[in-house]
Amino acid sequence: SAQIADLQQKLLDADSGDRAKQCCDSISIATILEAKCALKYLLGELVSSKVQESKLQSSLEQSQASCSDMQKMLMEERNHIAELEAEFQNQILVQEQQHQEKVNCSSWK
């Protein structure tokens, strides 16, 4: 009994990595010790998954903020281009009017 209790304690204290995975990979859980081992492994996996989810969520939020900033910048650039284009069209119109005035003045002479 003492040896069994000692072995059980050693199993509980064992590294949760390989031992727990081996325990969890078995087809059936026959003892409470195996169930504890599997539970310990699954809880570790849950914590790991939650940490990864948190990191991915943070990355997603940063990407969304960056995308929003880029869309705002793109809209501002489009507006600026539209203003420049309107100004350019106005300059072309003024140049055409000046040219027409010169042509008209030349023909009267």
Side-chain angles (χ1 to χ4, degrees), residues 38-39 67 82 91 93 102:
L39 185 59
C67 181
Q91 288 176 356
L93 184 61
K102 287 181 183 179

Side-chain angles (χ1 to χ4, degrees), residues 8-17 19-21 23-24 29 32-48:
Q8 287 178 336
Q9 187 61 41
K10 285 181 181 179
L11 283 174
L12 287 175
D13 295 337
D15 181 32
S16 65
R19 178 68 67 189
K21 187 163 176 25
C23 219
C24 194
I29 297 175
I32 291 179
L33 182 60
E34 288 176 340
K36 287 181 180 180
C37 186
L39 185 59
K40 186 175 180 181
Y41 171 75
L42 290 173
L43 287 175
E45 289 297 307
L46 176 65
V47 168
S48 177

